[in-house]
Amino acid sequence: MVNDPEPDDLAPLEEEAAPQPADRLARVLAHVRKVLGSGGLLSEQGETYEERPQQLAMAEAVAEALVGGSSAVIEAGTGTGKTLAYLVPAILSGRKVVVSTATKALQEQLVDKDLPLLQSLGIQVSWAVMKGRGNYLCILRQEQFDAAPVFVSRDERDRYVKLRTWAAKTETGDRAELDLPENYVAWRDVSSTAETCLGQDCPRHQSCHVIRMRQRAADADIVVVNHHLFFADLALKRSSAAKTGAEVIPRYDGVVFDEAHNIEEVATEFFGVQSSNWRFYDLCRDVDRAAKARSSWPTEKLAKLASNIGRSVEAYFGEVAALAPPESFTARPEQKTAAPKSSPVIGPPPTPPPTTLSLFDRPAPRETAASDTEVLARALVLDLPSELDVSNDRREQRWSLEPGALSKLTEPLDALVDDVQALEDLFNDIGGDEPEAEVEGFIRRCEELRQSLKVLSQQSTPNLVYWAEVRGRGVFLRASPVDIAEQLRQGLFGDESRGVVLTSATLATGGDTSFFQRRIGLLYGKKGEGEARELVLPSPFDYSRQAALYFPKHLPEPSSEAFLDPATNEIAALIALAKGRTFVLFTSFRAMNEVHRRLAPRIPYQVLLQGERPKGALVRAFREEPSVLFATASFWEGVDVPGDALSMVIIDKLPFASPGDPVVKARLGAIEERGGSSFGEYTLPSAAITLKQGFGRLIRSRRDTGAVAILDTRLWTKSYGSYFRKSLPACPTFSAFPDLKRWWKETRGEG
């Protein structure tokens, strides 16, 4: 929501108040010091205040970038207080500033804690939150779903009552207000999508949650978004749609990227091309639902064409999945067999397309809202077997597509394209000379699906890596840029009037941020030209007193078959030492699930597993009582558990990016082709940044104490081990468990 400001002398600086840039900056810096400096407004917050010189230094650098329209790269160690360090100058600059984060947890901290705190100090500020469409309820789609509900299980059906109750009273439509499982399939059917949006022609346009979200953002001083939404908007503004003024985020004067170490990966997703069987199934399902509500449409023809598309999708994407080399296969622990070499049965998604079920014979939507009883009475529950459950995918594969790999699939591709073209032609006939918005939407979707398949199948665009992925029953074709530096240099940093601040607790490797800056286009050329200001600020925490590092030298290397048994025993001992209160972080789902399977019955504390509940719900449960959380990549960062609730972080092995990942493989190859060292220039610094993120989960305040255990002996046996050790904060280091136990007792009084 947008919060109305209250008058005070700390209002954002108006343009006419200080027309000269130097004068404007001086005024903003003075106000920043009044808030964050010694004896400033923040110091009046009593016991919660901690004086942090690093915070003020960062705030001044942010002010210079935003007021002067320049770029700044700032590593702010854990505990710097970086959110206030960029929010205060962003507000007082008088500019409209977008703050982009990688995690929902940080978004929630900004809007629920930090911005209200600043407003309580008398700073005039209004703010709004923007998320991707998929986070918001679509009122029209929910009404359509209620007319013919289909659930993949009884549990999904029962949860829908809670969703409908919430939908009737929510003001934002934001899914975050609900404690739904991450994999709740029915949400796909009632959430907003760009493909199904009717724009101003929608009968629910005035009450649309997405429209209201954008209106709040247009009126706000600070707009909080996530990286995915930001780069979706940037890609849109760099596309042909920009000529018509298309945009997601309203125009802004400056942007601050928190958790900026993630932006290369996120931007890569949005500067490429992709297609999947899911997109075609969604089209079939949406045609199905729209047709049953339109008596004037040729229902039987639409049903037949949708069924044809469903069969063609099965054939084409099944052949794509069959191209996967055996070495790309990743099995879950419970799966004993090797990857099949024959064409797998990919099948429809949990919400099935017309190839398996027709809904045309269901009643049309009613004028009055149906009760929960009525909706559930006419619901179809498929009760799909557990192996189809998207939360429990049994098959994960990702592999590079060599040049011409898709040319073998000409026949099924042509059949699919022809079927989509036939559906598009029929909608052109239905629409006539002046098609309504819903018909136009279907025509546009058909065209986009055809064009994306054409681009992907030709595999001819230079500087893109073509690859495929299988996740459960989903098959994906993608073309991703190998290097996004030039695109970001032009699209993000090319506007000389826009200030750009990039900050994180983990941007520096080897003492500076040059690796990060090169990857995103701020440094370029052989001599490393660039104009961004660099600032590396140490953490104010006393790691020599608060933390310990434990490296058990006696374990085999993680690649050894003999690793898992002793590593599991080591994890059990560490959990016992910490009396629960432990994050066990893994580099793969397979390892996470296997260790969880072995240890969960033996742990006398609450045991939590990533994926069982939404991330926020898991963190809340972890804080409430002594717990052990088994997790992978998404919990290595963006999770804040200060205090005694988290006292031990266990990392199973060094987080090297998989060299078999298609995008990583292409990046490594590009470095080698130009004569560089892919390990030294990419693999090693990338892993060091991730390891620093994992370590950073432990100490979140000056009062925290605890230990980080890294169960990877390569820290000692390999020449690059010292690189990793130097990247971590200096603190007592132990390689024998009795020594760690002794430190634990002396520091924490436990053991």
Side-chain angles (χ1 to χ4, degrees), residues 261 264-265 506-510 515-516 519 587 636-637 651 653-659 664 668 678-696 710 712 714-715 720-721 723-725 727-728:
H261 58 281
E264 181 186 12
E265 299 307 316
T506 54
L507 293 180
T509 55
F515 167 73
F516 171 74
R519 297 305 308 173
T587 57
W636 283 64
E637 59 180 278
I651 295 172
K653 62 180 181 179
L654 297 175
F656 289 117
S658 170
V664 172
L668 299 180
S678 59
F679 184 79
E681 294 182 32
Y682 185 87
T683 304
L684 194 58
S686 295
I689 286 176
T690 304
L691 187 65
K692 288 170 68 175
Q693 283 288 333
F695 182 97
I710 303 175
D712 195 329
R714 289 176 294 180
L715 283 161
Y720 55 75
Y723 183 92
F724 283 104
R725 297 198 301 271
S727 72
L728 299 175

Side-chain angles (χ1 to χ4, degrees), residues 224 282 439 490 507 644:
V224 180
D282 286 344
V439 173
Q490 294 179 10
L507 293 180
D644 210 38

